[in-house]
Amino acid sequence: MGKVLLLQGNQACAEGAIAAGVKFFAGYPITPSTEIAEVMAKRLPEVGGKFIQMEDEIASMGAIIGASLTGKKVLTATSGPGFSLKQELIGYAAIAEVPLVIANVQRVGPSTGQPTAPAQGDMMQARWGTHGDHPIIALTPASVPECFSLTIKAYELSEKYRTPVIMLLDEIVGHMRERIELPDYSTITPPVRKKPTVPPAEYKPYQPDEDLVPPMADFGTGYHWHVTGLVHDETGFPNGSAAATKKLIKRLHDKIEQNLDDIILYEEYMLDDAEIAIVTYGGTARTAYAAIEKAREQGIKVGMLRLITIWPFPEKAIANLAAKVRAIVVPELNYGQIVGEVKKAVEGKTTVKGLAKYDSEPISPQELLDFIANL
């Protein structure tokens, strides 16, 4: 039997991590993500896990990378400038193919910005914040129950594809409270990491299977392997040749790009007869639900494509949508980030207009309705 609770999105995210089998958290408290750390500090000892408050966000990333290499599912949580500090080691986890999940509860920036105010200004940083060509998966919940379920999904994807996954909450979703029915966690099958089937003497840590993902041995189980941020070959040791560089970078991308149908999630809402489509995500999607209801009361046929997977970007879904509607509206709490990706995917097939708000206040349903009515 499950239980019904009134939880914040941050709390539901932490509970999702526990349900997914997380046994290690390292982080540094920072508004508006601190509740995730608070819940993990209480819950991890109850399930045989370990919580450690690190001296900073860089050390937090290093700690979860190390714990993941021992076979543990791991979590860190941050916001704003803390997310900036994590970028170098996000790149390390990407090239070393270390599964882990980072919860980033977005706030107004840049720099210290407004720590308690909502924003969605880290969308591009989530994709390109660390240097070099690298793949990333980023998911964006729009409700408290989805904070729980998407966190579990984040671990499924991270373990399956050996990649960092970013949970992109925003302050609205992170701090609001909603009713949630938590299941009996014993009924949830935790994601399983693929292990080697060869003895230690024959193990090559970066020799991929047909799915392009190498089996991953846990440190401490008799398998000895080298982990580096340098370009490496199947042995894990550095290899600076042009051929090895191209092979590794291409495989890192291909293991994601060849599985887009498994990774990309979105919701279609009232799009069957829509002439205008809203493309949005996270807390702003909640505004869109209300605006669509008001618009339809006025005879304006509006629907929504709610992005759940932000990265890799759902270009195919956007392109298909562009062929069906006369205009697309992209409301977001930043200076205009995802609207550019939508325009690229649309390729001029329909009008795309961005509604960017960056004054520390959420977009209201009436603001969005007025914007649509004035198209």
Side-chain angles (χ1 to χ4, degrees):
M1 291 290 291
K3 53 185 176 181
V4 176
L5 298 172
L6 183 68
L7 293 183
Q8 286 184 330
N10 284 345
Q11 294 169 321
C13 176
E15 286 295 333
I18 295 294
V22 169
K23 290 295 189 288
F24 185 81
F25 179 99
Y28 187 87
I30 181 170
T31 303
S33 74
T34 302
E35 292 85 2
I36 298 175
E38 290 174 345
V39 172
M40 296 303 285
K42 177 179 184 295
R43 294 285 282 122
L44 278 173
E46 298 173 353
V47 297
K50 301 294 183 183
F51 172 95
I52 181 168
Q53 180 173 315
M54 301 299 292
E55 62 268 30
D56 58 38
E57 304 285 2
I58 302 171
S60 301
M61 279 298 300
I64 66 169
I65 288 172
S68 180
L69 290 170
T70 71
K72 297 292 187 287
K73 295 184 182 68
V74 299
L75 174 68
T76 189
T78 190
S79 182
F83 191 50
S84 298
L85 288 171
K86 291 185 183 295
Q87 294 303 322
E88 181 180 358
L89 285 176
I90 291 175
Y92 185 95
I95 196 169
E97 298 180 80
V98 181
L100 53 85
V101 174
I102 304 151
N104 175 31
V105 188
Q106 298 168 90
R107 72 192 214 190
V108 171
S111 189
T112 308
Q114 291 205 46
T116 61
Q120 295 172 317
D122 301 350
M123 311 311 291
M124 287 299 168
Q125 186 184 26
R127 179 63 187 92
W128 300 111
T130 195
H131 64 280
D133 291 313
H134 64 282
I136 203 75
I137 297 174
L139 308 177
T140 307
S143 69
V144 170
E146 199 168 55
C147 287
F148 178 84
S149 62
L150 267 192
T151 300
I152 297 173
K153 183 67 175 179
Y155 285 98
E156 292 175 358
L157 296 173
S158 178
E159 298 290 330
K160 185 174 182 177
Y161 297 109
R162 279 190 66 173
T163 185
V165 176
I166 300 169
M167 283 288 292
L168 278 174
L169 289 74
D170 52 61
E171 190 276 338
I172 295 171
V173 174
H175 276 163
M176 72 182 181
R177 296 180 185 271
E178 284 185 315
R179 178 188 184 276
I180 179 172
E181 185 173 349
L182 295 178
D184 180 346
Y185 293 178
S186 66
T187 65
I188 297 174
T189 302
V192 177
R193 186 176 299 180
K194 183 169 60 174
K195 304 295 184 184
T197 56
V198 298
E202 299 176 20
Y203 178 55
K204 292 184 178 180
Y206 291 98
Q207 179 68 54
D209 290 338
E210 289 185 2
D211 62 1
L212 303 180
V213 180
M216 186 174 179
D218 298 343
F219 275 35
T221 59
Y223 290 82
H224 301 278
W225 51 289
H226 189 259
V227 184
T228 178
L230 288 166
V231 169
H232 47 272
D233 56 25
E234 289 86 353
T235 68
F237 287 96
N239 186 330
S241 71
T245 302
K246 181 178 179 179
K247 184 178 180 181
L248 175 61
I249 300 303
K250 187 175 189 305
R251 181 178 64 78
L252 291 178
H253 285 81
D254 284 350
K255 71 178 181 179
I256 302 300
E257 292 172 3
Q258 292 181 14
N259 292 285
L260 295 181
D261 289 344
D262 182 47
I263 297 169
I264 291 178
L265 307 170
Y266 53 84
E267 178 198 5
E268 295 180 332
Y269 180 73
M270 301 191 77
L271 284 174
D272 288 345
D273 64 341
E275 297 175 355
I276 298 172
I278 299 169
V279 174
T280 192
Y281 51 90
T284 303
R286 302 177 71 87
T287 292
Y289 288 119
I292 289 168
E293 182 178 339
K294 290 176 177 292
R296 286 187 171 267
E297 288 174 356
Q298 298 178 19
I300 306 172
K301 295 180 179 179
V302 184
M304 174 172 59
L305 182 69
R306 179 171 69 89
L307 308 183
I308 301 172
T309 302
I310 292 290
W311 307 114
F313 195 70
E315 296 175 359
K316 183 179 177 180
I318 300 291
N320 290 340
L321 178 64
K324 300 174 183 177
V325 297
R326 65 177 176 85
I328 293 175
V329 175
V330 187
E332 48 187 337
L333 297 180
N334 53 50
Y335 205 71
Q337 295 188 18
I338 294 301
V339 65
E341 296 300 304
V342 173
K343 287 179 178 179
K344 283 196 293 184
V346 164
E347 296 182 328
K349 295 174 184 175
T350 193
T351 300
V352 178
K353 296 289 185 182
L355 172 54
K357 191 170 185 182
Y358 41 89
D359 62 358
S360 82
E361 294 289 336
I363 299 170
S364 71
Q366 190 61 49
E367 284 179 290
L368 181 53
L369 178 61
D370 290 345
F371 188 87
I372 291 168
N374 289 329
L375 283 177

